[in-house]
Amino acid sequence: MSAWQVIERGGQRDTLGEGALWCPRDGAFYWVDILAPALNRLVLETGAVTRWAMPEPLGWVVSHAAGGLVGGFRSGIARIGLDPLAVGPRKAVEAHLPGNRMNDGKTDATGAIWCGTMDMGEAQASGSLYRISPTGELAAVDIGYLVPNGPAFSPCGRWLYHADSGRRTIYRFALDDGHARKDGVFATFGEEDGYPDGMNVDAESFLWVAHWDGGRISRFAPDGTRERSIALPARRITNIAFCGQAHDRMFVTSASVGLDDAGAFDGALFEVDCGVRGQPTVPYAGPVD
């Protein structure tokens, strides 16, 4: 394989691909198209791609230990059953902020969900970073985000990385027994870099970051220095997941939203030969409703 290849799916392209998730139980890579709105699944063994329409914007999905998925919808968090599709009632997170929606989220090694919210119009810094504990307790961790993206976790469990894309800044948080303390700025993007979007940490503790309006993904060392970049033929690269039983297959999502001259690769799903392995994905086991 060359550095990258497009996963063909009958010409389908995402408006805003995001929420990259490897689910070993299903042998599948899941990702969302936030604004379509839709949920996608790629079964690695067969290459089959399925797309389900969603009832409202869907920012992220994680696997649930009892089966199916948990999704972060605009109006709240809900269980998602597949084959057949069933979306449960949404549990509100920010009922007092009807202009906000979920944007990105993942589980950590304990099975807790970390997820961000944002203003749909990207005009107000009304977004927050939340943690949902493995037993279902919701707590705000950080506030004042324009466009939250990430999160990503170090293999040692000591560090959380989270970006405010609107400010072109990636922050690092120190983790201790479910509590997060902002440790400072990990990296900043210049105008030529675009904006930091979704991210993931590999097994060697290096942070991979998608470049929105930067047309590439980059790998950062634990000290914040950029080790390398891989160029991709889409402008708005959005998220990254390590997949497969050995976590050695990288899939990268992209977006076509806002591009009047969107090309053939904008909104495509890519597989990238990155040469490193990722970390296992842990399901969420707590209640939703």
Side-chain angles (χ1 to χ4, degrees), residues 236-253:
R236 297 188 160 172
I237 307 301
T238 55
N239 216 319
I240 301 163
F242 291 94
C243 302
Q245 297 305 322
H247 312 107
D248 59 351
R249 298 181 66 180
M250 176 187 279
F251 291 93
V252 177
T253 58

Side-chain angles (χ1 to χ4, degrees), residues 40 50 96-97 135-136:
N40 301 298
T50 306
H96 61 296
L97 294 172
T135 52

Side-chain angles (χ1 to χ4, degrees), residues 53-55 73 78-81 85-90:
M54 290 288 109
F73 290 88
R79 290 286 300 274
I80 302 174
L85 175 67
V87 178
R90 266 76 85 192

